[in-house]
Amino acid sequence: MAQDKPNYAYMGLEPDIVTNFVGPSAKKLGFVRVTVELMIGDADQLEIAEHHMPLLRATAIEIFGQQPEEKVRSMTGREDIRLAILKALQTHMKEETGAEVIKNVIFTKYLYNT
C-alpha cells in the first residue's frame, strides 16, 4: 500500500531576520527582528532549499525593509507580509529549480521597535 502522506520538512532562516522599516516620518526608522521557519513541501527538497538560502534570506529581508510601520505593527499587516514572503520565495524557487519547494512560511518570533 503506497503512502500518500505529505513528507514535509522544516528549516529555519538562520540567523533571525533583523532589518529596518520606514517609521511614521521619513526621519525615523524602526527595526524588526523575526525568526522565520520555512515549511519545505518534501523532505527530499531540503538540500535544494539549503543551497538557495542566501536568496531566500535576501528576499525576506528585502520585503520586510519595504514595509511601512502600520503594516509591521498590525496583525493583519503581519499576515500580509508573511504571505508576500511566501509568494516571493515560491516564485524565486520556481525560477531557480522548476518547483515551488517552499510550502509555507512561519514566523515563530516577531519583535519590532519604532
Side-chain angles (χ1 to χ4, degrees):
M1 186 167 134
Q3 289 284 348
D4 286 340
K5 282 185 171 179
N7 187 23
Y8 299 129
Y10 294 88
M11 178 177 74
L13 286 183
E14 299 288 339
D16 288 358
I17 302 294
V18 179
T19 191
N20 291 323
F21 62 86
V22 180
S25 73
K27 295 177 183 169
K28 186 176 179 188
L29 285 178
F31 80 89
V32 64
R33 178 179 182 165
V34 184
T35 303
V36 180
E37 300 289 330
L38 302 178
M39 181 181 191
I40 309 300
D42 191 312
D44 294 339
Q45 296 174 320
L46 200 52
E47 197 173 311
I48 293 167
E50 286 174 358
H51 177 75
H52 291 282
M53 185 59 71
L55 174 64
L56 301 176
R57 279 189 54 75
T59 301
I61 290 168
E62 181 181 341
I63 290 171
F64 266 110
Q66 296 169 346
Q67 303 306 313
E69 180 183 6
E70 316 82 71
K71 201 168 227 186
V72 171
R73 294 175 68 118
S74 77
M75 290 301 287
T76 55
R78 188 179 307 184
E79 179 64 6
D80 290 345
I81 295 168
R82 188 187 70 77
L83 292 173
I85 290 172
L86 174 61
K87 185 172 189 279
L89 296 183
Q90 288 175 333
T91 299
H92 284 322
M93 292 304 287
K94 187 120 176 125
E95 290 169 357
E96 295 295 320
T97 69
E100 286 185 345
V101 180
I102 310 299
K103 182 79 174 162
N104 208 344
V105 171
I106 303 159
F107 296 157
T108 55
K109 178 169 54 175
Y110 192 97
L111 306 170
Y112 59 85
N113 190 8
T114 52

